[in-house]
Amino acid sequence: VWQVAQATTFEKDERDTWEPGTQADPYAQCAWSDADQAIGIHLPGEGWSAEAQGGMPGMVARVWNDDVEMIVTVVPAAPDLVRPMIEQQLGTALPDVDIAGAAKVSVAGHDGRRYVGTGKRFYLGGSGSRTVVLRVEGTEDAIVAVQGELDEIAGGIVLGDA
C-alpha cells in the first residue's frame, strides 16, 4: 500500500483558492468574542449587551438586557459528560430540543434544589471536547417575554477549539 501511496501525485484544483493565513475570522460577525477562549456571541438586537465575565472557572461572559441575565460558561468536557453532572445537580433529567445546533434545556420548578426555580433557564450545547452552559435568570414573565431572543442567542454561539 505504501508503494502505491508514495507513487501517487497530487495536483491542486484550480478552483481551490485557499492559502495559509487567509482564513476568515470566525468571530467577525459576533457582537462579543474572546479569541483566547475561542467563543463568540451574537446578540438578537438592541437592548442586549455582553461583556467578559470572570469569577468561577470557565465563566467567560455575561449577556443581559433590562430584565434578564445570561451567564456563559465553557466547560472543557464533551456535552455527553457534562449533561449527567448538571442533571445530578438539578435533580431532574434535561430534555433535548435542537436550536440551530445547540441543545436547549429549560428547567423551572420550586423543589428547593440549587439552580432550580421559577425564573431560571439552562441551555447546554457544544462540540467535541467543549460544552457551553448558559444559565439565564430573571422573573418568569421577563424570561417568557424574551424566550425567542434567548433561543437566538443560544443558537448563535460560535464555539471554536481553544
Side-chain angles (χ1 to χ4, degrees):
V1 174
W2 285 111
Q3 291 173 342
V4 173
Q6 289 175 334
T8 303
T9 59
F10 295 92
E11 293 180 19
K12 184 176 178 178
D13 189 313
E14 295 173 2
R15 296 170 290 177
D16 182 1
T17 60
W18 182 85
E19 295 292 333
T22 61
Q23 187 171 3
D25 178 3
Y27 311 111
Q29 302 300 315
C30 296
W32 178 91
S33 66
D34 183 332
D36 291 339
Q37 297 283 342
I39 187 169
I41 300 171
H42 293 275
L43 298 178
E46 289 186 32
W48 287 92
S49 300
E51 67 182 5
Q53 182 75 32
M56 293 177 21
M59 192 179 295
V60 294
R62 174 179 167 252
V63 178
W64 75 95
N65 72 6
D66 289 338
D67 302 313
V68 175
E69 177 181 61
M70 175 186 284
I71 299 298
V72 181
T73 304
V74 178
V75 180
D80 290 343
L81 297 174
V82 175
R83 176 178 295 282
M85 291 185 290
I86 292 177
E87 289 177 337
Q88 184 177 17
Q89 281 185 334
L90 297 174
T92 185
L94 302 175
D96 283 323
V97 180
D98 190 49
I99 304 174
K104 173 190 170 190
V105 176
S106 270
V107 177
H110 294 296
D111 67 1
R113 292 181 184 265
R114 198 171 104 168
Y115 299 130
V116 179
T118 299
K120 303 207 182 204
R121 295 286 186 276
F122 289 80
Y123 293 83
L124 179 86
S127 61
S129 62
R130 300 181 75 210
T131 301
V132 176
V133 179
L134 309 174
R135 186 183 81 230
V136 180
E137 295 189 15
T139 66
E140 188 67 20
D141 289 344
I143 290 174
V144 168
V146 296
Q147 187 68 58
E149 293 170 282
L150 294 171
D151 293 350
E152 188 177 334
I153 293 168
I157 289 190
V158 177
L159 185 63
D161 296 324

